[in-house]
Amino acid sequence: MRAVIWFVLLFVVAVVAATTLGGNDGLVSIYWAGQRLDLSLNFFLILLAALCFVLVTVFNAINALIGLPRRAREWRVSRRDRTAQASLREALAQYFGGRYSRAQKAAQRALTIQADTPELAQDNEFTVLGHLLAAGSAHRLQDRAGRDRSIERALELARRSPSARAAEEGARLLAAEWALDDRDADRALELLGALPTGVARRTHALRLRLQATRLGRQPQEALKTARLLAKHQGFSKEAAQGLLRSLAFESLETARDAEQLRRVWAQLDGLDRRDAFVAARAASLAAGFGATDEARGWLRPFWDRLAELGADERAVLALALAESVQGLGVEWLPKLEAAAQAYGREPAMGYAVGIALADRQLWGKARRLLEDAAADATLQAAARRKAWLTLARIAGEEGDAERAARAYESAAILA
């Protein structure tokens, strides 16, 4: 097809030339120093075209000769640039291949080539990436001093170059991750705190912050970060629920008295306070501090809707109530009776109602429930032991020494 096109173009040129130059009637006269030179128009045009061609060729040759040193320098720079890029790619490949010593040497070689070439020294993004690879390799080789030097140099260069902003963010995230590997939570939080707001809310940054706050024993901050991660779907629904619950437990367990526990409870998110497991743990801790009224107050909203809860939730609420029966008011009795009728077959519920009724000195109802709970092997050993001890106390109050002895013996076996 190309040959056909050239053939057609040749015919076009021939036709144009024949039409234009076919009549050679024109004459060009050149006068110079009393001399006259007559040329046909066609010959003059051909001669003019040839002269222009010669002049252009001469000018190009002179320009090529003059620009030879410049092109040689550009070629050398281009060659060094390709060599530096190849070294950086080699460092990356070796790093991912687990050959960290080779990766570090290749990254240092790339940086040396760039530093020795003034034309390449302005590429800060290349330099930052090279230092990051060198720092990552040094971290894997446990060379903390070399790692810190490389990462600080990368951060310094990235701050001076707007084009290396993404590399700066990556450098800070890597440095925070390495600080966590060193168990340095304060350093990790400092690096994460220097990130822009948008970067700090990315999933990876939030994961690092969560690890840092947990390592630094800051359960409240860890809980907030975990909730943000759950909002960004950083975990599955089940994993998020379990993590948030465990962090809420850690927050509650930081309290050293009832007043601190109240403050921690107030600082929890509404979703955490509506979690039956979290409320049960808070109530158990409050009961341990002697604030049984506070404990029952936290449990009461759940007892008003037991039918909406699962068996596991009712079990933990029941066990928490059993630890908070001291000073139980008569307003709880209808709730306990209803719970016993609806869920009396659940050992934890029977145990809790029995303990509460025993505290109110309703021996008959309490004894039946506690005997069933104490005989159920699925109930926690500590709860079964307390049930036997309560049965022994009831038997003592009723004057049945033999039954009391058997109850004490059963409790001793579970101790």
Side-chain angles (χ1 to χ4, degrees):
M1 186 65 183
R2 182 180 299 176
V4 173
I5 293 174
W6 277 109
F7 194 66
V8 171
L9 289 176
L10 183 61
F11 269 98
V12 171
V13 171
V15 171
V16 171
T19 303
T20 305
L21 304 177
N24 193 15
D25 299 332
L27 182 67
V28 177
S29 297
I30 301 174
Y31 296 91
W32 180 263
Q35 301 293 324
R36 188 182 75 174
L37 177 64
D38 293 326
L39 300 172
S40 67
L41 179 61
N42 291 350
F43 182 70
F44 175 76
L45 292 176
I46 293 172
L47 188 62
L48 182 63
L51 180 62
C52 290
F53 176 77
V54 170
L55 289 175
V56 170
T57 302
V58 170
F59 289 153
N60 286 338
I62 294 173
N63 185 51
L65 186 62
I66 294 174
L68 188 61
R70 176 181 55 81
R71 290 202 304 277
R73 184 172 62 254
E74 290 176 352
W75 178 82
R76 287 194 298 270
V77 171
S78 176
R79 183 180 178 185
R80 293 180 70 84
D81 184 36
R82 289 195 299 271
T83 304
Q85 295 285 351
S87 295
L88 190 66
R89 289 194 297 271
E90 179 189 355
L92 191 62
Q94 298 289 2
Y95 181 82
F96 285 128
R99 296 174 176 174
Y100 302 116
S101 180
R102 295 184 183 182
Q104 188 178 31
K105 291 177 182 178
Q108 292 293 349
R109 185 164 61 250
L111 292 171
T112 301
I113 293 172
Q114 189 197 34
D116 292 342
T117 310
E119 291 82 357
L120 302 179
Q122 303 303 318
D123 190 356
N124 285 338
E125 190 173 7
F126 179 93
T127 311
V128 171
L129 291 176
H131 281 298
L132 286 181
L133 279 172
S137 302
H139 175 72
R140 298 295 184 181
L141 295 171
Q142 299 297 313
D143 181 10
R144 290 183 172 82
R147 177 200 67 189
D148 292 340
R149 285 194 302 270
S150 295
I151 199 67
E152 288 299 330
R153 180 61 177 159
L155 288 172
E156 179 185 351
L157 289 171
R159 282 192 293 266
R160 298 205 305 255
S161 175
S163 62
R165 185 61 53 83
E168 179 186 6
E169 296 167 0
R172 290 191 182 280
L173 290 172
L174 277 176
E177 188 174 347
W178 297 336
L180 289 174
D181 290 343
D182 295 341
R183 313 294 293 175
D184 189 350
D186 294 337
R187 172 64 175 163
L189 289 173
E190 178 186 352
L191 289 164
L192 292 171
L195 291 171
T197 305
V199 181
R201 295 178 70 88
R202 293 175 187 169
T203 301
H204 182 57
L206 290 174
R207 288 182 185 276
L208 293 177
R209 181 175 291 278
L210 176 60
Q211 295 178 40
T213 50
R214 297 194 74 178
L215 180 62
R217 300 189 180 279
Q218 301 178 23
Q220 287 285 352
E221 290 299 321
L223 187 57
K224 293 177 183 177
T225 306
R227 193 164 295 287
L228 278 175
L229 266 174
K231 183 179 178 181
H232 287 77
Q233 298 181 348
F235 307 108
S236 65
K237 185 177 179 180
E238 294 76 11
Q241 184 180 29
L243 177 62
L244 292 171
R245 187 173 291 160
S246 66
L247 289 173
F249 289 170
E250 291 180 15
S251 297
L252 292 169
E253 288 166 0
T254 59
R256 294 294 176 262
D257 53 42
E259 185 58 33
Q260 285 187 5
L261 184 62
R262 292 188 192 98
R263 287 199 297 269
V264 173
W265 176 259
Q267 291 172 1
L268 291 179
D269 190 87
L271 292 174
D272 296 322
R273 292 198 294 269
R274 289 193 293 273
D275 188 328
F277 290 90
V278 176
R281 179 62 63 89
S284 297
L285 292 171
F289 293 135
T292 53
D293 291 340
E294 197 90 26
R296 289 192 298 273
W298 294 339
L299 294 174
R300 184 162 184 168
F302 298 93
W303 281 83
D304 292 337
R305 53 184 183 88
L306 285 177
E308 302 174 10
L309 304 177
D312 292 341
E313 293 174 313
R314 288 194 295 269
V316 295
L317 291 170
L319 293 174
L321 181 65
E323 299 176 12
S324 314
V325 296
Q326 186 178 0
L328 186 75
V330 295
E331 71 277 4
W332 275 87
L333 293 179
K335 299 179 184 296
L336 296 174
E337 291 286 350
Q341 291 178 4
Y343 310 106
R345 293 183 177 275
E346 296 179 5
M349 187 63 70
Y351 162 74
V353 175
I355 291 292
L357 294 177
D359 185 74
R360 298 293 302 177
Q361 298 184 0
L362 299 174
W363 311 125
K365 295 180 179 180
R367 182 172 62 248
R368 178 177 56 81
L369 292 169
L370 289 173
E371 286 174 349
D372 292 341
D376 196 320
T378 61
L379 188 63
Q380 295 178 5
R384 292 177 63 197
R385 182 173 182 274
K386 186 175 180 180
W388 282 119
L389 291 174
T390 305
L391 286 170
R393 182 165 61 85
I394 292 174
E397 293 288 343
E398 294 176 344
D400 190 342
E402 183 179 352
R403 186 154 50 85
R406 288 198 302 271
Y408 278 124
E409 182 180 357
S410 298
I413 293 173
L414 294 171

